[in-house]
Amino acid sequence: MSALVIRDLRKRFGTTDVLKGIDLDIDSGDFTVLVGPSGCGKSTLLNIIAGLETATSGEIEIGGRVVTAVPPKDRDIAMVFQTYALYPSMTVRQNITFGMECRNVPKAQQAEALERVAKLLQIEPLLARKPAQLSGGQRQRVAMGRALVRDPKLFLFDEPLSNLDAKLRVEMRMEIKQLHARIGASIVYVTHDQIEAMTMATRIAVMNQGEVQQFADPDTVYNRPANLFVARFMGAPPMNTIPATLEGEGDRPVVVIGAGEHVVRLPAPPSIGREWLGKSVIVGIRPECIAEPTRLFGSSTAAGLTITAPVEMTEPTGAETIVVLRLGGQKVLGRVAPDIRLANGALATFAVDTRKLCLFDPQTERLIA
Amino acid sequence: MREQSGFAGPPSVGRAVVYAVVILLAAGYLVPMVVVVLNSLRTAEEIAQTSMIGWPKVWAFQNYTAAWSDFCIAQTCSGIRPYMLNSALVTLPATVFSTLLGAVAGYAISLWRFRGDSWIFALVTLGVFLPEQMRLIPWTIVLRDVGLTNTLSGLVMIHTIQGLSFTTLFCRNYYVAIPQDLMKAARIDGAGFFRIFHRIVMPLSPPILIVTVIWQFTHIWNEFLYGVTFTTGTQQPVTAALIALSASVADVPQYGVQSAAVVVAAVPTLLVYLFGGRYFVRGLTAGAVK
């Protein structure tokens, strides 16, 4: 069953189209992440799902019921906010039970639900405290408790980890993911952080300029980005996108990058249509597909294709070393093993994983192979 | 402490000058009050023989009993006691009503965005800048039409409505700092307009409510023009009665009793200042949410 269906949803502020016809179908139990740069409309979309803002047109269905005209409190949803939005004058206990109080849930039932959630999130010792007496991570937990206690059809998370420091963010990320695995709730989670999207989601909707660019599982979004925007947005560092031409060599098409002495030839994905032969394309190659020459990609046991390219600079991160190199004259990023040190300006040999090359149409920017 | 001061080190000439100026200014501000308090403790004869400024030769505490309960104002010899009561009966309800209504209005304007909200806010706060005398005739007509001419209830109504401009402005500017996320969370939790006001906004409000209560109380208590225009005789608030008191003097000017009456009439606002002034300053600078 679908937990959430959105049909041709549009939102206009004055003359600005913030959402330009969103269609999404989210399965029950899915952890869907809406990801995109700021201003892409993801938070507006979430607010419209919650009923806090009204759409200009379109339809929303939650748990099989059309809720387009239903007020937030009757949509059977719960929301976690970036600012936590805990009621400052109430204790943690009152914060969590306020929703049930508004719905006239009997006291005994409230206590039971409170106990269940407090145990689940391990916040029992905090129940008598006020939000001001809590650390950022504790506030985050209480905010989640307030959502969980309601047992709604759909959870909405609005950048819930953005206000936490880096270490805590990683911890909470794992915790939310485990929580989802345990309770199997349907979640729509908004973030601008593509790492959060990749690590937590079962489905990712990449948004830009009021449109869903791609809606797929994380592997697909990462390995087969639907267009150049997705390719460049997902992944840190992002996918290298380089102008190239497609040439036919016998039966096997080849991607040609650069010209003259710098030319690099890579086998094109076999799925590329023959009509592209001789035409300009944009080739996408993930940095981790350019590595030190001894690297074996995937399950292959033999060394793959190698190229020689000048190194411009290196950035050792500790876990790996990012290399800026010239590929057919174009600046690209590669990722080599951490202990490898390459001299700036020197020529070096790299192994290239050509199985994961993506080709894009330079005009439409869409994935063509 | 000494080291942290901007005037660290040995006392300098500059520092002495600053202190001298500050003390002079403070003394200048206090002179009228000192004169009134001293005169309230001198007999009329003493004031008449010497001057308005002087140290009491005998402490004339009887001025206060006379001012409070015996002195004649416009043919009624009851002192200012009934007029003090009138002022209290006008000031207290008008303060409470205008503060509560201002809080609700400020809450609605700042946290429930609706079409035209900024226009309504602009209109309401326009009242802050309208001169009092401009409103005299409209209020006269309103009082006549609702049948509250020369009544305390009429004054309560006027001060409640007039006060709304200030109280709405104060509360709106305070509530606007409450994050919208809090409102969203409460709406999803199922709380409505008044439940959010009562359970979430009011508990955050004491600093601004103290400010508006102090402001309204002193303003309404000290208000004179409406009191003297819309009420006469036994219905007057104390500020208006004080004028009648000075006008009713027949033979020897009763400066002692009049001064005592002025001091008594100023006591409520002075008390509010002494006990609430600290909260007033603190409330003006406080934010809604830490």
Side-chain angles (χ1 to χ4, degrees):
Chain A
M1 197 187 71
S2 293
L4 172 70
V5 180
I6 297 172
R7 287 192 205 98
D8 195 28
L9 195 82
R10 291 164 193 277
K11 175 70 176 178
R12 179 176 297 164
F13 289 117
T15 55
T16 320
D17 285 317
V18 181
L19 297 174
K20 303 170 188 168
I22 305 286
D23 288 284
L24 286 176
D25 192 332
I26 290 165
D27 286 338
S28 191
D30 259 352
F31 193 131
T32 305
V33 173
L34 305 180
V35 66
S38 52
C40 72
K42 57 192 191 297
S43 287
T44 305
L45 179 58
L46 197 73
N47 277 330
I48 291 174
I49 296 171
L52 297 165
E53 284 182 46
T54 48
T56 309
S57 67
E59 198 174 64
I60 294 176
E61 230 175 66
I62 294 174
R65 183 170 63 114
V66 176
V67 295
T68 315
V70 174
K73 68 185 168 79
D74 299 323
R75 290 196 175 193
D76 206 1
I77 51 162
M79 192 158 169
V80 179
F81 296 87
Q82 181 179 1
T83 57
Y84 318 132
L86 300 178
Y87 312 125
S89 56
M90 297 187 200
T91 61
V92 168
R93 176 180 284 112
Q94 290 167 326
N95 260 286
I96 293 175
T97 56
F98 184 66
M100 293 187 285
E101 182 198 311
C102 295
R103 283 155 218 276
N104 301 315
V105 174
K107 282 264 188 267
Q109 210 176 317
Q110 286 188 22
E112 208 175 287
L114 174 73
E115 197 188 337
R116 171 177 61 87
V117 166
K119 195 177 269 175
L120 183 70
L121 295 170
Q122 297 164 346
I123 51 173
E124 287 123 315
L126 310 176
L127 290 179
R129 294 206 202 156
K130 294 272 180 72
Q133 298 165 294
L134 303 176
S135 69
Q138 289 170 333
R139 286 180 204 186
Q140 177 64 62
R141 263 167 219 274
V142 175
M144 294 213 303
R146 192 170 61 180
L148 286 169
V149 79
R150 296 256 319 282
D151 200 16
K153 285 220 173 61
L154 186 65
F155 286 94
L156 306 175
F157 285 75
D158 188 7
E159 308 220 13
L161 304 183
S162 301
N163 283 3
L164 298 176
D165 63 57
K167 184 166 169 284
L168 205 52
R169 197 179 312 154
V170 174
E171 281 174 27
M172 288 306 293
R173 199 165 76 196
M174 293 181 190
E175 226 170 283
I176 294 175
K177 189 172 179 171
Q178 282 175 342
L179 199 67
H180 171 252
R182 204 159 4 142
I183 62 176
S186 311
I187 295 177
V188 178
Y189 184 110
V190 161
T191 181
H192 62 269
D193 182 348
Q194 50 87 24
I195 300 212
E196 272 177 34
M198 284 300 297
T199 51
M200 301 169 90
T202 57
R203 303 273 283 172
I204 296 177
V206 185
M207 291 185 65
N208 189 38
Q209 296 183 334
E211 285 174 326
V212 175
Q213 305 289 322
Q214 188 170 16
F215 182 46
D217 62 279
D219 279 346
T220 307
V221 167
Y222 191 78
N223 293 316
R224 305 294 298 158
N227 56 37
L228 279 178
F229 173 80
V230 178
R232 288 168 181 156
F233 186 77
M234 302 299 288
M239 183 181 264
N240 298 300
T241 49
I242 320 153
T245 50
L246 202 64
E247 285 175 12
E249 278 181 13
D251 182 26
R252 318 248 345 231
V254 169
V255 175
V256 182
I257 304 166
E261 55 168 330
H262 300 300
V263 73
V264 173
R265 296 168 168 275
L266 300 172
S271 61
I272 183 68
R274 290 291 169 271
E275 71 276 16
W276 286 95
L277 287 176
K279 290 193 179 151
S280 299
V281 294
I282 292 189
V283 59
I285 181 165
R286 290 275 173 204
E288 60 269 29
C289 296
I290 302 172
E292 71 278 4
T294 52
R295 180 83 64 91
L296 299 177
F297 294 108
S299 53
S300 72
T301 49
L305 182 109
T306 58
I307 56 161
T308 304
V311 173
E312 278 206 345
M313 64 175 265
T314 58
E315 285 183 318
T317 66
E320 61 185 3
T321 296
I322 310 283
V323 186
V324 182
L325 59 135
R326 290 268 168 191
L327 190 70
Q330 304 282 331
K331 193 158 114 179
V332 299
L333 300 179
R335 298 169 93 155
V336 300
D339 46 351
I340 290 183
R341 291 287 178 272
L342 299 165
N344 289 353
L347 282 176
T349 308
F350 298 93
V352 179
D353 184 357
T354 54
R355 297 168 307 156
K356 289 186 175 176
L357 285 191
C358 295
L359 294 182
F360 300 91
D361 179 337
Q363 260 76 53
T364 63
E365 304 201 336
R366 291 228 177 84
L367 185 72
I368 49 175
Chain B
M1 195 65 205
R2 223 184 320 145
E3 296 303 316
Q4 288 161 355
S5 151
F7 296 105
S12 66
V13 179
R15 193 175 169 188
V17 169
V18 168
Y19 272 113
V21 169
V22 168
I23 288 169
L24 212 67
L25 283 175
Y29 269 90
L30 282 174
V31 163
M33 196 174 106
V34 170
V35 168
V36 169
V37 170
L38 286 179
N39 279 338
S40 75
L41 294 167
R42 300 165 81 200
T43 61
E45 295 76 29
E46 187 187 321
I47 297 172
Q49 283 157 20
T50 58
S51 79
M52 288 289 284
I53 298 169
W55 193 256
K57 291 195 183 92
V58 281
W59 298 92
F61 291 108
Q62 68 274 18
N63 284 345
Y64 279 90
T65 45
W68 180 247
S69 54
D70 304 335
F71 201 73
C72 301
I73 300 169
Q75 287 86 47
T76 318
C77 297
S78 55
I80 62 166
R81 186 173 53 187
Y83 304 100
M84 289 289 282
L85 186 66
N86 285 350
S87 277
L89 287 176
V90 170
T91 306
L92 293 175
T95 299
V96 171
F97 294 153
S98 61
T99 300
L100 284 181
L101 287 173
V104 174
Y107 157 68
I109 290 171
S110 58
L111 297 176
W112 291 83
R113 307 310 306 265
F114 50 93
R115 196 175 282 271
D117 52 359
S118 51
W119 282 102
I120 290 182
F121 180 56
L123 270 178
V124 170
T125 46
L126 184 64
V128 172
F129 304 99
L130 284 181
E132 269 194 325
Q133 58 275 22
M134 198 171 160
R135 298 178 286 205
L136 283 178
I137 290 172
W139 275 128
T140 310
I141 296 167
V142 170
L143 286 176
R144 188 194 63 204
D145 287 358
V146 299
L148 290 176
T149 304
N150 196 25
T151 60
L152 297 179
S153 313
L155 284 184
V156 169
M157 182 187 78
I158 292 177
H159 287 307
T160 300
I161 294 171
Q162 301 267 121
L164 266 175
S165 295
F166 263 108
T167 55
T168 305
L169 175 70
F170 282 167
C171 292
R172 181 265 176 198
N173 286 351
Y174 182 79
Y175 293 148
V176 88
I178 295 177
Q180 272 295 329
D181 277 0
L182 224 52
M183 298 291 296
K184 291 181 182 174
R187 283 168 63 197
I188 290 176
D189 265 343
F193 184 90
F194 282 107
R195 195 194 291 264
I196 295 176
F197 182 66
H198 168 233
R199 291 294 311 277
I200 295 163
V201 173
M202 277 309 261
L204 295 172
S205 303
I208 197 64
L209 292 185
I210 288 170
V211 167
T212 47
V213 162
I214 290 174
W215 179 270
Q216 284 301 95
F217 184 91
T218 46
H219 185 75
I220 298 171
W221 185 278
N222 290 335
E223 203 283 330
F224 167 69
L225 186 64
Y226 293 143
V228 84
T229 312
F230 297 131
T231 56
T232 56
T234 55
Q235 295 296 302
Q236 288 198 319
V238 71
T239 44
L242 284 176
I243 294 297
L245 178 147
S246 63
S248 70
V249 175
D251 40 5
V252 193
Q254 292 291 325
Y255 293 132
V257 178
Q258 287 165 8
S259 298
V262 167
V263 171
V264 171
V267 162
T269 48
L270 280 177
L271 286 180
V272 164
Y273 168 72
L274 286 177
F275 290 104
R278 220 176 337 157
Y279 299 102
F280 188 76
V281 175
R282 208 181 290 164
L284 276 181
T285 55
V289 185
K290 273 173 216 132

